[in-house]
Amino acid sequence: MSDRHEVSHMIVRVARAHQLAATCLLRPLGLYLGQELLLMRLWERDDQSQADLAKALSLDPSTVTRTVRSLEQQGLLTRRPSERDRRALVVSLTDEGRALRDQVEHAWSELERAALAGMPDRQRAETLRVLRRLEGNLTAALPEIRAACPPGVPGDPGDPGDPHHP
Amino acid sequence: MSDRHEVSHMIVRVARAHQLAATCLLRPLGLYLGQELLLMRLWERDDQSQADLAKALSLDPSTVTRTVRSLEQQGLLTRRPSERDRRALVVSLTDEGRALRDQVEHAWSELERAALAGMPDRQRAETLRVLRRLEGNLTAALPEIRAACPPGVPGDPGDPGDPHHP
DNA sequence: CATAAATTATTGGCATGCCAAAGAAAACGG
DNA sequence: CCGTTTTCTTTGGCATGCCAATAATTTATG
């Protein structure tokens, strides 16, 4: 063992186990992983622009675009142009979308229950503290890390010369 | 706030921040997220079958297939049929693959450093304990959760009747 | 020993998620 | 007031990751 990156490894493992469980719990509700987060955000505050959602969920705008469209096709929410800002779209819940709330929250409660199983209150509080600290540390470090992260690709072709034109 | 699912929410946030940072750090090395885990496993123990890798990394075999092929095309590893088991493929590192080790481990050390920044040793140990506990709890709960997880789809067409044939 | 069952790898489909680029519309500047 | 810059959304490309189904081979079973 003697791993010098144990915390990172554990973060990866915890995340995958959590995702797998969430995927399973969400499936009977007809939702894919990630869609529930968008809905939760809308349950907390309805009628938001996609940009707001992207910011609140720390998601790429393009991801929000596609997930919102998927949820729209499922009839859980609505997209209509904003009147104040003619380039923004306002996302609103439908009755169907509101109706899903209880089930989704129940699923997430099971997830929470599983994660914290067998922990006394003290330990649960400590768990939350630790996670908050990790999140704070990582998001604090992100700007610096991203600054050193050059744009471009992994399989960098070096010089595209003429990257195809419309 | 008064969120009843704070831990789950934090797990999601920690995971995304971690992934984002890792993606950035790996990019200059020409690696995508996840590929480094496979390589790390091979650095620890070379010449493994894909099934072994899948099990060790808790990955779906099909994911291993594709990631391994990608790494093979980058010249970092080799795939050759096993002699004992004629259906298995043995994955082995190339010199190039071995040469990447230092850089990847350095990148992960930065990740680890960022995650644990400003924590005294005591707190680092506690962090690890918490993550181990979460992982243990979630993977312990997974079988039961998956048992209740019906196969089939989200947008279930109910009865496909004739799900198209080759 | 033949037959049923489990294992290994692959393919195709689908979803999330990122980045990069592009078109509209708004905010900002001189 | 016009030009520049920022913001909002979308599209296309690419990668990971899952599931389901298939083919080949091994192992277990009666």
Side-chain angles (χ1 to χ4, degrees), chain A residues 5 8-9, chain B residues 36-37 40 104-112:
Chain A
H5 316 111
S8 288
H9 267 119
Chain B
E36 88 280 16
L37 293 171
M40 282 167 152
V104 170
E105 295 197 336
H106 178 265
W108 263 56
S109 294
E110 277 211 39
L111 207 57
E112 193 85 354

Side-chain angles (χ1 to χ4, degrees), chain A residues 7 130 134, chain B residues 116 119 123-131:
Chain A
V7 167
V130 163
L134 284 174
Chain B
L116 298 175
M119 290 194 202
Q123 203 173 349
R124 298 184 179 211
E126 182 61 20
T127 296
L128 204 49
R129 249 194 310 273
V130 163
L131 289 173

Side-chain angles (χ1 to χ4, degrees), chain B residues 5 20 61 163:
Chain B
H5 316 113
L20 226 67

Side-chain angles (χ1 to χ4, degrees), chain A residues 16, chain B residues 26 31-39 57 59 67 71:
Chain A
R16 244 224 298 287
Chain B
L26 256 24
L31 292 178
Y32 285 105
L33 190 66
Q35 299 186 334
E36 88 280 16
L37 293 171
L38 216 153
L39 290 172
L57 300 170
L59 280 177
T67 299
L71 292 171

